[in-house]
Amino acid sequence: MDSQIKKIHQQLVSKQISCTALVQEKLDLLKQNEYNSVNSTLDSMALELAAKVDAKIAKGESIGLLEGIPFGIKDVYMVQGTYTTASSELLKNYKAPYTATAIQKLLDAGAIPLVKENCDSFGHGSSSENTIFGAVKNAINPELVGGGSSGGSAVNVAKEYTVFSIGGDTGGSIRQPAGYNHIYGLKPSYGRISRYGLMAYASSTDCVGPLAKSIEDIRIVLNVMSGKDPKDQTSVASSEITEEALANSSVKTIGYFKNFIDSEAIDAQIKADFLAAIEKIKAKGIEVKELDFFKSDILVSTYYTLAMAETASNLSRLDGTNYGNRIEGENLIDSYAVTRSENFSEETKRRIVGGNQVLSQGFSDEIYLKGLALRDQISENFSKDFEEVDIVLSPVTPSTPPKIGDSLKDPLAMYLSDAYTVGFSLGQLPTLTVPQGTSTGLQITAAKNNDELVMQFANFLKDIL
């Protein structure tokens, strides 16, 4: 699909459509939708901004490429004055006092926020069922999950309720729902986009990223959000990725992890489709190498050990004193306990308890420090791989989306659905889901800070698969 941003920009400039009519149409679609992808709509803000765009056009003034383009925001980002719930009972009435840097950059570029989008509570889940707003339904088959945790964001893009959406990816939370709903979803290199104003889940792997229906729209939005932010010391400066740079692929060699494909857990059709895609790539003269990697169960256990530890630490501030829905108990300690027990979902409590166990005296050396050591080994392994190949290609998921309700019955199976995404998160690498190759797409990964190469190869795959 061609760029929707450029198409709408031309329609606005040529006065084929008005921005107010466009925004109202999208708001109506969001309110009528039956996919549970919406937590709240931002009507007054969106219509006020749209009127300003229409006024500029009426005066003959030029507008920027993103000016007047409607977009959605996963409900874990601060947007000043709006409900910012993280799809949780604890924060269901919480209004943000400031705006996240990534979202502010989009606002400064003139993009129009329409909606705070449904997701797994605090990003805890792989199906977007752990939410007080009801399970997000898959855009292709509503009996299936939308994927998580950025499920609402993926569905809104797939159904064209928004032109693009901003998700958050920790262990695969953009890439997996993008695959389940047949759109593009990018987890950029860690630090490329400021995390300031994103509710922290696991700080060492949290990333801000876009979901859209074309590579060009991903590129446009990524460029606007990228850059060093003095409010986030982990953020880094980066170069703009130009449209011309994506026109021709410089990739000569790709690799894939043999143990991912030989795993007993992979769906037979996904395996067959992936190997067929590899053959088409070979036919274009690109060398393909098989790579060795950690077993997927080691990746999953390492990721969840560290992520749960960081979750327990990050969410310790949510005790009803400064944030959220406080429930009074018999004394202060009882108030903390009741507030957290009643307001957190079962999945969030599971992760907090697991994280506190990992960090507790007597276990931290045995579990947490071992997890950190494994993460270093995983990063070293990636460094060696990218001395041999330009790109690593992999399925996004080992299986197709489950039916709504199945993941809640089996948390372990839900964790294992992240088996092919969490390793790249631990390596802090740029990874893009493309809606080609298998029924849940393909995942393109490059060495850290090579986001341009990832998108370049995605552009190449678009034409051959």
Side-chain angles (χ1 to χ4, degrees):
M1 174 177 277
D2 295 332
S3 166
Q4 292 299 292
I5 292 174
K6 289 183 173 177
K7 177 184 172 186
I8 292 172
H9 175 73
Q10 285 303 320
Q11 290 174 332
L12 289 171
V13 169
S14 63
K15 300 182 181 177
Q16 292 178 52
I17 58 172
S18 78
C19 191
T20 300
L22 171 67
V23 165
Q24 188 62 65
E25 178 191 357
K26 297 290 187 186
L27 286 171
D28 291 342
L29 289 170
L30 285 162
K31 291 175 184 175
Q32 294 164 9
N33 98 83
E34 297 178 345
Y35 291 83
N36 290 332
S37 58
V38 175
N39 286 0
S40 60
T41 52
L42 310 176
D43 297 53
S44 56
M45 179 191 294
L47 290 168
E48 184 179 327
L49 292 172
K52 290 180 179 176
V53 174
D54 283 335
K56 284 184 72 173
I57 294 171
K59 291 177 186 174
E61 297 177 16
S62 61
I63 60 170
L65 190 55
L66 274 182
E67 215 160 343
I69 304 298
F71 74 104
I73 305 169
K74 183 178 180 178
D75 204 5
V76 291
Y77 288 95
M78 302 294 171
V79 180
Q80 188 174 34
T82 71
Y83 286 108
T84 303
T85 72
S87 295
S88 69
E89 187 70 26
L90 184 70
L91 299 178
K92 66 181 179 183
N93 295 316
Y94 178 72
K95 285 190 175 181
Y98 64 96
T99 299
T101 296
I103 305 303
Q104 188 61 55
K105 287 187 172 185
L106 292 169
L107 294 174
D108 292 344
I112 297 181
L114 297 184
V115 55
K116 301 299 285 293
E117 296 167 321
N118 201 358
C119 57
D120 283 305
S121 179
F122 296 104
H124 297 161
S126 304
S127 61
S128 287
E129 294 174 284
N130 294 301
T131 159
I132 63 169
F133 296 99
V136 178
K137 299 176 183 177
N138 189 286
I140 314 299
N141 180 350
E143 293 184 357
L144 308 180
V145 302
S149 60
S150 307
S153 305
V155 169
N156 286 338
V157 169
K159 301 300 292 184
E160 300 188 3
Y161 301 149
T162 61
V163 177
F164 66 90
S165 286
I166 304 304
D169 192 306
T170 304
S173 305
I174 287 175
R175 292 162 285 160
Q176 187 244 48
Y180 279 0
N181 294 283
H182 299 184
I183 60 171
Y184 292 90
L186 174 68
K187 184 195 84 64
S189 293
Y190 182 80
R192 186 181 179 99
I193 301 175
S194 168
R195 292 181 292 111
Y196 179 75
L198 164 65
M199 286 190 199
Y201 162 17
S203 306
S204 67
T205 50
D206 285 342
C207 286
V208 179
L211 301 104
K213 296 190 89 169
S214 74
I215 299 166
E216 179 62 1
D217 288 348
I218 293 281
R219 183 192 70 81
I220 293 168
V221 176
L222 175 68
N223 280 338
V224 170
M225 294 194 296
S226 297
K228 177 73 178 171
D229 178 11
K231 296 173 182 172
D232 176 4
Q233 291 306 304
T234 63
S235 64
V236 297
S238 56
S239 302
E240 181 182 1
I241 299 174
T242 65
E243 184 177 2
E244 293 72 28
L246 304 189
N248 296 302
S249 172
S250 60
V251 173
K252 305 296 182 191
T253 308
I254 72 160
Y256 71 91
F257 296 125
K258 192 169 181 296
N259 58 308
F260 278 16
I261 305 307
D262 290 343
S263 167
E264 293 179 0
I266 191 171
D267 177 270
Q269 190 60 52
I270 289 179
K271 177 178 180 177
D273 290 344
F274 179 79
L275 292 174
I278 289 292
E279 291 304 315
K280 289 180 182 177
I281 292 168
K282 281 182 183 174
K284 292 293 179 181
I286 293 176
E287 185 180 1
V288 177
K289 291 185 177 181
E290 293 180 350
L291 302 170
D292 293 323
F293 200 49
F294 292 81
K295 291 181 179 178
S296 53
D297 57 345
I298 293 176
L299 297 173
V300 171
S301 58
T302 303
Y303 168 75
Y304 276 101
T305 295
L306 300 178
M308 287 184 179
E310 294 184 32
T311 292
S313 177
N314 281 324
L315 295 194
S316 63
R317 77 194 73 173
L318 299 180
D319 55 16
T321 301
N322 293 312
Y323 307 101
N325 178 35
R326 181 182 179 90
I327 300 174
E328 296 294 342
E330 294 180 0
N331 51 50
L332 183 61
I333 293 176
D334 192 42
S335 294
Y336 291 159
V338 175
T339 295
R340 288 168 66 81
S341 177
E342 295 295 321
N343 285 317
F344 282 137
S345 70
E346 290 304 308
E347 182 57 37
T348 293
K349 284 188 277 191
R350 191 177 293 122
R351 295 184 187 209
I352 290 173
V353 170
N356 283 328
Q357 175 76 1
V358 166
L359 294 171
S360 62
Q361 189 172 15
F363 289 94
S364 60
D365 287 358
E366 187 178 344
I367 304 175
Y368 182 64
L369 295 183
K370 189 175 181 181
L372 290 177
L374 270 168
R375 182 173 67 184
D376 291 343
Q377 289 181 38
I378 289 167
S379 293
E380 288 173 16
N381 205 92
F382 280 130
S383 297
K384 291 175 183 173
D385 288 337
F386 287 116
E387 290 174 2
E388 291 188 46
V389 302
D390 302 314
I391 287 288
V392 168
L393 195 66
S394 56
V396 179
T397 61
S399 55
T400 53
K403 286 188 175 180
I404 290 175
D406 286 356
S407 294
L408 298 178
K409 298 174 189 169
D410 190 350
L412 180 59
M414 181 181 69
Y415 298 160
L416 290 173
S417 72
D418 298 336
Y420 293 174
T421 54
V422 293
F424 304 125
S425 295
L426 292 169
Q428 302 187 334
L429 307 177
T431 305
L432 174 68
T433 286
V434 299
Q436 291 110 23
T438 80
S439 61
T440 58
L442 293 172
Q443 200 175 195
I444 302 169
T445 305
K448 191 173 181 181
N449 299 324
N450 270 340
D451 303 62
E452 181 177 292
L453 194 65
V454 165
M455 298 178 69
Q456 204 178 72
F457 192 63
N459 205 38
F460 168 77
L461 282 189
K462 174 171 66 69
D463 295 328
I464 69 163
L465 295 181

